[in-house]
Amino acid sequence: MKKLAIISEFNPFHNGHKYLINKAKEITKTDLAISLMSGDFVQRGEASLIDKYSRADAALDNGFDLVIEMPNFISLQSAEFFSYKSIELLNKLKIDYLAFGIENLDSEEFLDISARLIKDNDRLEELTKYYIDKKYSFTEAKYLALKDFLGREDFISSNNILALEYMISISKINPNIMAIPIRRLGANNQDLDIKDEKYASSTSIRRNLSGNIEKLMPSSSYQKLKSFQKNYGLANKENLFEIFKYKFMIEESQMQDSLCYEEGLDNYFKTLLKDSPTYDEFIELAVSKRNTMARIKRLMLNYILNNKKSLNDLDYNFVKVLAFNEKATKLFRDIKKELKIVIRKSDIEALDHDDLLVYENMLRASNLYSLLIDRQFNTDFTRKISIKKTYEAN
């Protein structure tokens, strides 16, 4: 069984995502398409626009056979760790292909540049460290290092840098995984405005929810978005900020071991919180040359969720299924000796110590999200998993 994987957020699932999965399946002639998808909190350090189950259902409606949840301690990290830990898990699923989007370049040129960068990775790391020592954030330092190394800027975008991290992680974990870079259509990842009649970035769709976005999404995904908006609306970031302030200022829980922490940020936060009545004001004040907005937001969530750096050292061996069809059941049979499959509450009984720590991490995030959208707790135990007999395109 040939297995294709795509690491995703689908926040929301749009036409560009549908193009990516269709094109990847056309290229690979794969037997099974897997999405490793962020849960209710995504890499920008924000609550997702739509809950993980609705997004997983949309993915299953539009070409995927299996959607599994990415633990939030992975999704709430920088591109380097995000990619490495994701591919580490997908390698346990014995994937054959990893497809991902790229910008500004065709696939062959991207692969050629990536091969050069991986071959001389020590030089790239030296350049990155040079800029970090000059007090740039890791993200900015990586951008500047790439610019110096390549002598060009068209490669440098957040999407391409994440794609490069996938390539580096594959080279370290399992070079036999075949990378399938696919150039985006119509819009780049960071585009804020809708410029195309059919394709738009997730960012621009989220910024234009009151506009005419129906044509930019498969019908099933659009209907799930509208239904979720009607029932829950947006996650309440001011409530999130109140939880953060309580834990930080009243409980005085230490922050030093939290993922994304950098020395001195806790003392800096104490100063800012005295004059920051709102979430947005706090974030704006906390951002600096050294610390990006995404890093600050990720740190806040990791701190609230008690996500410690030690989570990166755990060897967990299970996948939490969000949606699947009959084709995926063969995979379950093939991997059951190596990985535990968590679909229902009773499956938790088979988890060992490290597995349980990761599972509890995922459950805490789900319940925090429930608190922010006014949804009942422990939805993970009560929400019915989508199981489809066959794939039917919408």
Side-chain angles (χ1 to χ4, degrees):
M1 174 185 282
K2 293 292 184 181
K3 298 178 285 293
L4 162 72
I6 292 177
I7 300 167
S8 60
E9 289 183 353
F10 299 148
N11 188 35
F13 191 103
H14 54 64
N15 291 340
H17 297 133
K18 190 172 179 65
Y19 170 78
L20 176 64
I21 181 60
N22 288 346
K23 189 68 175 178
K25 289 167 74 172
E26 176 188 325
I27 293 169
T28 61
K29 312 298 183 188
T30 192
D31 300 303
L32 191 78
I34 303 167
S35 167
L36 173 59
M37 192 188 76
S38 299
D40 291 321
F41 295 95
V42 296
Q43 201 198 11
R44 285 175 301 284
E46 298 173 357
S48 59
L49 177 66
I50 322 166
D51 78 302
K52 59 191 178 186
Y53 291 105
S54 299
R55 287 180 285 126
D57 289 352
L60 204 67
D61 287 340
N62 290 282
F64 286 91
D65 304 299
L66 171 65
V67 184
I68 58 178
E69 181 177 353
M70 181 188 297
N72 68 83
F73 81 89
I74 297 176
S75 64
L76 293 174
Q77 295 205 60
S78 67
E80 179 182 8
F81 288 98
F82 176 94
S83 64
Y84 188 88
K85 299 302 290 185
S86 294
I87 292 170
E88 190 176 58
L89 175 58
L90 288 171
N91 189 52
K92 292 181 179 181
L93 285 166
K94 301 178 182 178
I95 65 167
D96 301 282
Y97 308 99
L98 180 77
F100 47 83
I102 56 173
E103 298 168 343
N104 306 323
L105 309 167
D106 63 33
S107 60
E108 290 304 319
E109 188 175 14
F110 172 84
L111 290 172
D112 287 345
I113 292 173
S114 297
R116 286 173 50 202
L117 291 167
I118 290 170
K119 183 178 180 180
D120 205 358
N121 191 51
D122 290 345
R123 173 61 178 154
L124 184 60
E125 289 186 356
E126 286 177 10
L127 286 169
T128 303
K129 185 177 184 303
Y130 169 79
Y131 285 110
I132 289 174
D133 290 344
K134 286 186 170 292
K135 307 302 181 185
Y136 285 94
S137 69
F138 177 81
T139 301
E140 288 292 332
K142 196 64 171 280
Y143 284 178
L144 293 167
L146 283 166
K147 182 179 177 181
D148 287 357
F149 186 97
L150 296 173
R152 56 191 287 184
E153 295 187 48
D154 57 341
F155 181 87
I156 303 169
S157 72
S158 59
N159 217 48
N160 286 357
I161 288 178
L162 179 58
L164 173 63
E165 293 295 348
Y166 290 152
M167 298 295 294
I168 293 171
S169 297
I170 287 172
S171 72
K172 292 177 179 178
I173 294 170
N174 182 0
N176 291 322
I177 296 172
M178 183 176 292
I180 310 294
I182 297 173
R183 186 167 182 169
R184 295 174 66 105
L185 292 181
N188 286 337
N189 187 50
Q190 295 299 313
D191 285 351
L192 301 181
D193 299 317
I194 296 171
K195 304 173 182 178
D196 189 273
E197 292 184 358
K198 187 175 181 181
Y199 296 102
S201 68
S202 296
T203 302
S204 62
I205 291 173
R206 290 193 300 272
R207 284 170 56 92
N208 292 276
L209 291 177
S210 60
N212 183 20
I213 60 172
E214 184 174 2
K215 60 187 177 181
L216 304 170
M217 304 169 65
S219 61
S220 63
S221 180
Y222 178 75
Q223 293 305 321
K224 288 175 174 61
L225 169 61
K226 300 307 291 184
S227 176
F228 191 83
Q229 283 185 307
K230 179 180 178 181
N231 291 328
Y232 298 107
L234 298 175
N236 191 321
K237 60 186 179 183
E238 295 306 329
N239 284 357
L240 179 73
F241 190 43
E242 293 302 313
I243 295 168
F244 173 73
K245 287 191 290 185
Y246 177 85
K247 184 169 183 175
F248 189 77
M249 300 295 283
I250 299 176
E251 282 191 353
E252 297 184 323
S253 299
Q254 66 90 23
M255 182 179 278
Q256 288 87 340
D257 293 332
S258 298
L259 287 168
C260 298
Y261 173 79
E262 186 166 313
E263 185 176 359
L265 276 176
D266 45 353
N267 292 327
Y268 186 43
F269 285 175
K270 285 180 183 177
T271 301
L272 296 182
L273 284 170
K274 295 175 183 176
D275 302 308
S276 304
T278 71
Y279 174 88
D280 287 335
E281 288 171 345
F282 174 76
I283 297 296
E284 184 178 352
L285 289 169
V287 170
S288 67
K289 179 180 177 181
R290 180 80 174 188
N291 295 294
T292 64
M293 182 179 295
R295 184 190 186 120
I296 297 297
K297 290 180 177 181
R298 288 195 294 260
L299 173 57
M300 290 174 68
L301 282 168
N302 282 318
Y303 175 68
I304 290 170
L305 293 167
N306 201 33
N307 289 347
K308 306 296 187 184
K309 295 173 183 177
S310 57
L311 283 168
N312 280 334
D313 299 324
L314 296 180
D315 181 25
Y316 71 97
N317 292 284
F318 77 96
V319 290
K320 187 173 185 298
V321 175
L322 297 176
F324 68 100
N325 64 23
E326 285 184 338
K327 290 173 65 176
T329 58
K330 184 178 187 303
L331 173 67
F332 297 160
R333 292 193 296 270
D334 290 346
I335 66 171
K336 65 181 180 182
K337 291 183 179 179
E338 292 87 12
L339 287 175
K340 306 170 191 78
I341 310 298
V342 176
I343 298 175
R344 55 190 66 85
K345 187 176 181 180
S346 59
D347 295 329
I348 302 169
E349 297 172 7
L351 302 184
D352 64 18
H353 177 266
D354 284 6
D355 294 338
L356 280 171
L357 287 176
V358 174
Y359 184 84
E360 288 166 359
N361 157 270
M362 298 164 87
L363 186 61
R364 276 198 303 274
S366 178
N367 282 334
L368 175 61
Y369 189 75
S370 292
L371 192 62
L372 300 179
I373 64 169
D374 195 21
R375 180 183 69 181
Q376 70 177 32
F377 271 24
N378 292 333
T379 299
D380 287 34
F381 298 149
T382 58
R383 176 64 152 79
K384 188 176 180 181
I385 298 291
S386 285
I387 309 171
K388 292 187 181 294
K389 290 187 176 182
T390 56
Y391 159 58
E392 296 178 0
N394 286 319

